[in-house]
Amino acid sequence: MPDYVVAIDQGTTSTRAIVFDHAGSVVATGQVEHEQIFPKAGWVEHDPAEIWTNTRDVIGQALSRADITRHDVAAVGITNQRETTVIWDKATGEPVYNAIVWQDTRTQQIVQRLADGDVDRFKQQTGLPLSTYFAGTKIVWILENVDGVRERAENGELLFGTTDTWVTWNLTGGPDGGEHVTDVSNASRTLLMDLETLDWDDDLLRAFDIPRSLLPRIASSSEVYGTVESSSVLREVPIAGILGDQQAATFGQAAFHTGGAKNTYGTGNFLIVNTGEQIVHSKNGLLTTVAYRIGDQPANYALEGSIAVTGSLVQWLRDNLGIIDHASDVEKLALSVDDNGGAYIVPAFSGLFAPYWRPDARGAIVGLTRFVNKAHLARAALESTAFQTREVLDAVNADTGIPLQELKVDGGMIENELLMQFQADILGVPVVRPVVAETTALGAAYAAGLAVGFWKDTDELEKKWQEEKRWEPQIDEAEREALLAVWKKAVTKTFDWTASQ
């Protein structure tokens, strides 16, 4: 058996390849950012061709830095930004339009048309409310707005995929027989898959008017889908794991048992709680999703709280306001003041996701006085991440009836110790950071490694998880509730904004 597994992490802002060894440790990394395209307010796009070029580049970088060849690699796992939608010509591999990113809100009118007054119309089957967030409405927009695409799709000339499918199809040969496949975790984010059958639902396809021939085969999250094509530096290596990024992080955190949970701090925040083989429908604004499926075993399901803007708020402070030069500067600036100075930022840039699901909301900075300076705004930005997470965790506790005892965390923002301490304070439970912070890529590696026998089973993976640091709450319940009350008041100020214009 070769000594390594490679994970490809196709994310919202960059694509990475990470080489992991048998201990689950990072050996080497390659990373390239891609352009964020904003054609109009509320529109967010990526260039699929750039993503594919970057994928090939980062694989080469990672193998070179690890000083290994394809013969040293047992398998490749893929994880990806979910919901981001690509449609391409299966004969040429040419995309018919840019990738429409999960954050994009252009499909709101399509959502309203399909909902016909009830955004939960398909929730029993899919676990999801009708929202611009999910891939199904993005497919509809491309079919209806790009010349000739509807006819070509009906003729079976085009293929759809989230970016896992796009990368896998290209890696396995593209027009020359590439595998058109996705896994259950990504398929569960389209509004087109039935949670019970784990297959595309004909009634949903009719409602959305999407031809079935456009859609990939739905596979498990851990199986051999195909091998890398002959011109790649990874030629003949099996591709054996696919997981949407948040489910991959759950897998990487070894949250394999009912009640296991993690919170990822990235562009947005995503709290996932494993509900085992049981499909739990939320009454408190959470999504029901597929966590993962290993081979032919039953699927594991999850409740998810999705927050649209957390890390990207720090980028906004840097890029739009110029308050900081680098994202990492935000902690030092925030630490230069004792509190937020009475300022609260609610980053509803594209509406609010869980637990509110308010597409009419827009961002607001409230509580401003002449006293407030850029350091207070930096602190308010970090605190907004923690407040939003608290609201999602409250929804999880209400749905499950089993209060979470601690929160495992991962993602880029967990290096920010001020944020982690405030998160523990506002939750009232410990926050725990693992030794291996690259849990999204690690989860994809684990899924691929399991499929080829690199690792034996999930029990072995669970034993590899190690705690690196823990933050305990340092404020009392009265102070916690007082802070939350002001936050909730601030959130209400963002409602009905677009409707009032």
Side-chain angles (χ1 to χ4, degrees), residues 240-279:
I242 299 175
L243 281 162
D245 54 8
Q246 303 313 319
Q247 287 94 333
T250 308
F251 213 83
Q253 287 272 33
F256 299 123
H257 301 291
T258 302
K262 67 87 201 178
N263 195 35
T264 296
Y265 297 72
T267 305
N269 264 36
F270 301 89
L271 176 66
I272 290 187
V273 179
N274 190 335
T275 62
E277 295 176 23
Q278 182 182 7
I279 299 172

Side-chain angles (χ1 to χ4, degrees), residues 472-494:
E472 298 285 347
Q474 294 180 351
I475 65 174
D476 61 27
E477 190 62 25
E479 185 178 353
R480 184 176 299 121
E481 290 303 320
L483 289 167
L484 276 168
V486 183
W487 166 258
K488 288 178 182 293
K489 183 178 180 182
V491 171
T492 64
K493 304 299 182 186
T494 71

